[in-house]
Amino acid sequence: MLTVWLVVTAVFVVLRSTGDPVRLLLPEDAPLEQVEALRRELGLDRPIPVQYLRFWSRAISGDLGESLRFHQPASELVLARLWPTAQLGLVAFLLSAVSGLTLGVVTALSRGTAFDRVIMAAMSLLQASPSFFIGIVLILFVSVRLGWLPSSGSGSPRHLILPAVTVALITMASLARLVRSALLEVLRADYVRTARAKGLAEHAVVVRHALRNASLPVVTVLGLELAALLTGTVVVETVFAWPGIGRLAVEAVAVRDYPVVQAVVLVVTIVFVVINFAVDVSYILLDPRVRHV
Amino acid sequence: MVQGVTLARRQLLQRSLLGLSGMAAGMLLAACGQDGSSGAAPAPASSPAANQSLGNPTAALATPAMPAATTVTGQTPTGRLSELRVALPSMPPQLDPQRDWWLVMQRVYGMVYNQLIRRDWSRNGELVPGLARSWERIDETTIEVVLRDDVVFHDGSPLTAEDVAFTFERTLQGDPELSATGRFPIAEIEVLDRHRLRFVTETPDGAFELRLTKHEASIVPKAYLERVGPQRFQREPVGTGPYRVVEFVPDQRIVLEANEQYFEGRPAADRVVVVAIPEVGTRVAALLNGEIDILVDLPPDQVAVVEQAGGFRVDSFSPLNANYLIVNGLKPPTDKAEIRQALSLAIDRQAIVEQLFGGHGLVPGSVQSIFDPLYVERPPLAYDPERARQLLDQAGYSGEEITFLFDSPTYYPLQREWVELMAGMWRNVGLNVTLHGVEVSQRVEFQRPDTPYHLINNSTGVEVDIVLYKSYGPNSLHQKLFPAGYFDDFNQIVEQARVTVDNRERARLYQQALDIMNEKVMVIVQFTINRLQAMPEKIVLGTDPDFRLDLSPRNFQVRA
């Protein structure tokens, strides 16, 4: 709760310290009297502490204010964007988690071989590529050249594939590298040698002893990645014209649409806090040591 | 349709590179918000305004060499489309034409609304009847308008003089949320009968007819708007135009259906779907892919990509918009006219237009557009680095810093590139200009008397009737913010021109005002960048310098 309060407050103050939504809403040559009149009407002429109190007193009853740009409740706008964002985030997360884990484990076990080197080089390259580059290359090949999938927009599962793959590729790359190094670390540990020495089958060694112990850093990163994906991937949403929460936030910041920015920040912070909590809980399940602290 | 496009590997590579460069701009926009598209960005040419009595067309005044514009008149097409898909860089947040007219809104207004008078771009922007059958000046301040009697709104109600009176009365009530407030200098509106009414202006206003062609003069239905209220009207608008809005999903799509009763005939597509694709590279891919049918605001550096693909036409046309720099005439060293002149003379505008925009632009002789009804030809603004150096010497300039504030992320295509080119040109003549990029929202804040900057980028509408008095005149925001000492003569002239009804006389006066503007370098006019639209060859869409997507059958046709 403290986190949520701190973040929302910081954003509230920072937003108001630069830029002027009223000048942006009206034509640039609008007379100053009209600018002032609109400022009064929107309640933006009051001192920031007053605006701040008003924001919270309304927020508590679920009213996050009306978008200056769309003239409709900010909460409605954010909620309308949540589902597309969640769709994209979850699909990308599943794709990247499965492929990242698999690649990480396989390369760790085949460490030093040509296969390992090729995959790891590819992962480094992917991780270093900006997502808009990957996105536009996919559009050019899959969409324009091959004509298999639509280049942008939303509304059908086919529209979801390219953006999800774009997001997943990058997340997969970092995940694979992380899993590989975590697993390699563990495979050198004494208890793994012990397990092998007592004659356990290799898959049992890897799955029961090594993987489980390598999972802590991986789960932490997975949690963060999930939170990041669920709260919007601005660049990919922009490239694929995906109606997600990230794009909403960025466009709202640009025109200083305060209520929308605050609503997005509130929702995003809550998602982060919830997922962090879930990750902490999973430690307890995965690591017996934590239980005894 | 273009589905099977196969590309040679090299083309693909080129294309992706081009896409990337466009994208860099797009990404920046996205990253910091403010896409031009997203909205607040300078809706170009948004001022209302004025002019010309069409009744006595002084049209002969202006006959600029027209840049190749597609015009549709006279064609006998005529295929049909069941659906026309249009991609904009962002979605219009609302569709009340008097509330706001950002660029993306103007596009859609061209489908939904009409004005009493329109400009016929196939005839050099001549003023011709729209919803008005005719109009006439009764005296210096009175204009009588006769409406067509065959026009119905999308809700089925007939257009009457009451609707017209209501439309303009809305702008007289001081509502600060309506950007149209104060845009029409009307003292009185008198409804004579069902289809006739008179406007009485506060002072003689030669520009009144021109004002009636602007977006904010779009006629709205009185009964419907009063019934649903202004909030609902923004999303469930009703107009008289060729298309009616049937679905408005904020920030996602707008679906329109053909208005079968449209007074100019049946529109060529049954449905129109408007979507937003913010990223330029993606928008181009969607066009090549046949996912969209009309792409507006193609950046000049993407023209080759579309043309190489084959099967597409790109129309390039000059808009009612010019890029310029506000010059701070209060703060040394730009308080000296010589320094301001040197700044202007040092810019090789022609080179920027040719090299950077591939020729898709023009260098004007002043802030006035070639499409201004009062246009009088004058030579392009001069490039003379030698003279610039001399002027700097005369002024005793010794390298004092000149600060230049520009939008970052940029709104116009290739803006960062041209800003840097200009900075280089200034440096060449010895001017010490430093660049500061800020977001639009901050840039507008720096337009104030104590601004720490010397130069601030901006753009403007370019009809003298509209901009000279309102944007730079005695009561303008510009003079309040930069009350430099050189406005006296200028003010006297524009005050006089404003109340002059005779077009020739007014045109003459405004030329004098433009001379002063150029001489004193009140602003540094840069250039007009062409707007580009791309579509499959079978679609024919006339260009509209006033930024409408005019889908009436006289302007939009499909080849069989």
Side-chain angles (χ1 to χ4, degrees):
Chain A
M1 276 327 275
L2 184 66
T3 315
V4 176
W5 176 76
L6 277 176
V7 172
V8 173
T9 304
V11 168
F12 193 96
V13 173
V14 170
L15 260 186
R16 278 166 177 72
S17 62
T18 69
D20 179 356
V22 181
R23 287 286 293 271
L24 289 172
L25 283 170
L26 291 171
E28 276 195 31
D29 56 356
L32 287 176
E33 305 79 63
Q34 197 181 346
V35 172
E36 287 314 314
L38 183 56
R39 200 188 304 283
R40 263 196 308 283
E41 189 156 316
L42 296 173
L44 295 172
D45 58 332
R46 303 176 204 203
I48 289 181
V50 176
Q51 293 184 39
Y52 181 73
L53 287 180
R54 250 165 53 119
F55 166 72
W56 275 118
S57 66
R58 288 179 180 181
I60 285 167
S61 56
D63 175 7
L64 295 175
E66 192 182 79
S67 160
L68 305 180
R69 191 163 57 124
F70 291 98
H71 318 298
Q72 82 182 93
S75 48
E76 265 177 34
L77 282 168
V78 174
L79 291 179
R81 295 296 192 101
L82 265 186
W83 176 231
T85 303
Q87 264 180 314
L88 178 58
L90 286 175
V91 171
F93 178 74
L94 288 179
L95 281 177
S96 63
V98 171
S99 56
L101 279 174
T102 313
L103 283 174
V105 171
V106 171
T107 48
L109 294 180
S110 60
R111 176 174 169 231
T113 63
F115 175 76
D116 173 38
R117 287 201 196 121
V118 170
I119 296 289
M120 277 304 117
M123 293 300 117
S124 304
L125 189 65
L126 268 182
Q127 205 182 351
S129 308
S131 53
F132 71 83
F133 177 81
I134 298 178
I136 207 83
V137 167
L138 283 177
I139 289 176
L140 286 172
F141 275 94
V142 181
S143 185
V144 177
R145 189 167 187 195
L146 301 171
W148 287 349
L149 292 169
S151 63
S152 62
S154 62
S156 78
R158 296 179 66 230
H159 285 97
L160 180 58
I161 298 176
L162 282 187
V165 168
T166 306
V167 176
L169 279 175
I170 291 172
T171 315
M172 172 191 81
S174 59
L175 203 60
R177 284 160 49 88
L178 181 78
V179 169
R180 178 176 177 273
S181 58
L183 197 55
L184 284 177
E185 183 97 353
V186 173
L187 283 174
R188 277 197 297 267
D190 290 345
Y191 54 84
V192 171
R193 202 154 26 131
T194 312
R196 285 209 173 107
K198 71 182 181 187
L200 278 183
E202 182 65 14
H203 75 90
V205 174
V206 172
V207 175
R208 290 216 339 247
H209 294 265
L211 254 189
R212 180 150 183 185
N213 281 296
S215 66
L216 280 186
V218 175
V219 167
T220 311
V221 170
L222 276 178
L224 289 175
E225 294 283 1
L226 178 63
L229 293 180
L230 286 183
T231 50
T233 42
V234 178
V235 171
V236 172
E237 285 169 9
T238 304
V239 170
F240 291 97
W242 188 261
I245 208 167
R247 214 173 99 213
L248 178 72
V250 158
E251 287 171 3
V253 169
V255 296
R256 300 294 189 270
D257 192 342
Y258 299 150
V260 174
V261 180
Q262 280 149 204
V264 171
V265 167
L266 189 65
V267 169
V268 165
T269 318
I270 291 173
V271 170
F272 256 92
V273 169
V274 168
I275 290 182
N276 255 329
F277 179 70
V279 169
D280 287 347
V281 170
S282 73
Y283 284 169
I284 300 176
L285 301 178
L286 288 169
D287 185 351
R289 284 171 302 180
V290 179
R291 265 175 257 168
H292 302 302
V293 175
Chain B
M1 22 160 313
V2 196
Q3 220 136 46
V5 186
T6 39
L7 293 165
R9 196 162 281 220
R10 223 178 83 222
Q11 275 178 313
L12 188 69
L13 186 65
Q14 281 171 342
R15 203 181 261 189
S16 54
L17 287 176
L18 280 163
L20 282 175
S21 70
M23 173 159 297
M27 286 334 291
L28 269 169
L29 286 178
C32 315
Q34 164 43 4
D35 156 352
S37 29
S38 56
S46 51
S47 332
N51 176 41
Q52 230 32 352
S53 138
L54 209 295
N56 51 340
T58 333
L61 276 177
T63 316
M66 279 263 253
T70 299
T71 56
V72 187
T73 30
Q75 299 235 0
T76 30
T78 252
R80 289 191 63 76
L81 282 180
S82 57
E83 184 171 292
L84 179 81
R85 295 182 60 88
V86 177
L88 302 177
S90 71
M91 292 305 286
Q94 66 89 40
L95 291 175
D96 178 343
Q98 298 189 296
R99 181 174 178 122
D100 287 309
W101 47 93
W102 301 350
L103 186 56
V104 288
M105 298 175 195
Q106 296 180 10
R107 308 293 188 192
V108 182
Y109 295 162
M111 309 173 197
V112 179
Y113 298 104
N114 298 98
Q115 296 78 33
L116 293 175
I117 302 176
R118 80 180 164 82
R119 299 195 64 186
D120 184 345
W121 299 111
S122 67
R123 288 191 287 169
N124 209 19
E126 190 183 318
L127 301 182
V128 298
L131 295 175
R133 183 183 299 292
S134 64
W135 60 94
E136 184 186 3
R137 283 196 174 256
I138 308 293
D139 59 42
E140 289 248 295
T141 56
T142 310
I143 295 128
E144 182 171 321
V145 173
V146 182
L147 300 179
R148 295 179 67 114
D149 56 11
D150 57 350
V151 179
V152 287
F153 284 104
H154 299 150
D155 67 346
S157 61
L159 167 78
T160 69
E162 290 295 341
D163 298 303
V164 177
F166 172 78
T167 299
F168 292 96
E169 274 158 10
R170 267 187 108 196
T171 70
L172 304 176
Q173 288 155 359
D175 178 354
E177 290 204 36
L178 282 189
S179 293
T181 291
R183 297 269 160 170
F184 301 94
I186 296 173
E188 202 192 328
I189 304 173
E190 192 187 345
V191 174
L192 301 176
D193 63 33
R194 201 169 152 80
H195 294 113
R196 279 193 315 144
L197 74 162
R198 281 183 181 181
F199 295 100
V200 181
T201 54
E202 290 167 342
T203 56
D205 180 22
F208 196 73
E209 291 88 341
L210 180 62
R211 295 185 208 281
L212 293 183
T213 68
K214 293 292 177 178
H215 292 279
E216 60 271 30
S218 301
I219 304 302
V220 296
K222 177 177 190 219
Y224 175 80
L225 208 159
E226 283 181 340
R227 192 171 74 246
V228 303
Q231 294 283 335
R232 246 181 85 192
F233 187 76
Q234 291 168 24
R235 252 159 276 143
E236 299 168 36
V238 162
T240 52
Y243 286 88
R244 64 191 170 90
V245 174
V246 293
E247 193 189 3
F248 183 109
V249 186
D251 220 17
Q252 303 212 10
R253 69 178 172 280
I254 299 172
V255 180
L256 305 100
E257 267 173 21
N259 172 6
E260 301 290 340
Q261 302 185 68
Y262 185 55
F263 69 97
E264 292 182 293
R266 188 181 177 212
D270 298 333
R271 259 160 72 90
V272 176
V273 178
V274 179
V275 295
I277 305 181
E279 166 47 43
V280 165
T282 314
R283 218 147 68 227
V284 172
L287 177 77
L288 302 185
N289 226 6
E291 291 168 54
I292 59 169
D293 305 302
I294 294 180
L295 185 159
V296 291
D297 292 331
L298 181 74
D301 58 344
Q302 298 281 303
V303 172
V305 178
V306 174
E307 282 177 347
Q308 272 170 25
F312 297 94
R313 197 186 54 255
V314 176
D315 300 321
S316 174
F317 61 101
S318 193
L320 285 168
N321 179 249
N323 295 91
Y324 73 99
L325 308 178
I326 295 169
V327 191
N328 188 341
L330 294 174
K331 192 175 158 70
T334 44
D335 58 339
K336 288 192 182 145
E338 292 91 348
I339 305 281
R340 297 196 299 270
Q341 284 158 359
L343 279 162
S344 178
L345 287 168
I347 306 171
D348 189 351
R349 298 170 175 83
Q350 197 59 42
I352 294 177
V353 166
E354 307 241 314
Q355 313 287 323
L356 195 59
F357 303 136
H360 295 286
L362 59 86
V363 180
S366 72
V367 73
Q368 185 178 34
S369 160
I370 55 170
F371 288 123
D372 189 329
L374 300 186
Y375 179 73
V376 174
E377 201 172 345
R378 51 168 78 218
L381 291 164
Y383 166 58
D384 189 345
E386 256 328 295
R387 176 88 186 115
R389 284 191 200 98
Q390 283 171 15
L391 285 166
L392 291 181
D393 284 345
Q394 271 175 37
Y397 176 75
S398 56
E400 293 93 335
E401 185 184 40
I402 296 172
T403 50
F404 173 24
L405 194 68
F406 68 99
D407 293 347
S408 177
T410 58
Y411 172 70
Y412 287 92
L414 305 173
Q415 189 167 6
R416 181 170 282 276
E417 286 82 350
W418 98 54
V419 162
E420 278 167 11
L421 281 171
M422 285 195 320
M425 292 165 181
W426 284 324
R427 247 171 258 132
N428 278 344
V429 300
L431 282 156
N432 173 23
V433 179
T434 52
L435 305 178
H436 301 266
V438 300
E439 278 190 272
V440 176
S441 62
Q442 286 178 279
R443 192 251 294 160
V444 295
E445 274 197 290
F446 278 118
Q447 292 170 27
R448 52 168 209 246
D450 58 340
T451 186
Y453 297 96
H454 296 96
L455 306 171
I456 303 179
N457 84 205
N458 209 324
S459 62
T460 181
V462 286
E463 294 121 313
V464 285
D465 270 324
I466 297 174
V467 300
L468 284 198
Y469 181 78
K470 182 157 182 312
S471 300
Y472 308 109
N475 298 315
S476 66
L477 188 61
H478 187 85
Q479 283 195 28
K480 278 186 196 149
L481 298 182
F482 301 102
Y486 48 66
F487 289 117
D488 294 353
D489 296 348
F490 178 85
N491 286 351
Q492 213 182 334
I493 295 169
V494 293
E495 285 278 17
Q496 194 189 339
R498 188 170 76 103
V499 296
T500 301
V501 174
D502 181 79
N503 289 323
R504 276 178 196 284
E505 176 59 10
R506 201 165 72 258
R508 190 184 66 77
L509 288 168
Y510 277 133
Q511 290 307 313
Q512 289 178 8
L514 291 172
D515 286 342
I516 295 176
M517 244 177 130
N518 280 357
E519 243 166 66
K520 308 281 186 196
V521 197
M522 283 166 51
V523 300
I524 296 178
V525 177
Q526 297 169 291
F527 25 66
T528 288
I529 307 168
N530 280 10
R531 294 286 165 155
L532 296 149
Q533 58 186 28
M535 60 207 81
E537 270 164 4
K538 69 169 179 172
I539 295 178
V540 184
L541 176 69
T543 53
D544 187 316
D546 212 2
F547 307 101
R548 289 172 182 82
L549 271 177
D550 180 350
L551 297 186
S552 74
R554 78 184 129 64
N555 198 55
F556 158 59
Q557 290 157 7
V558 179
R559 293 198 178 124

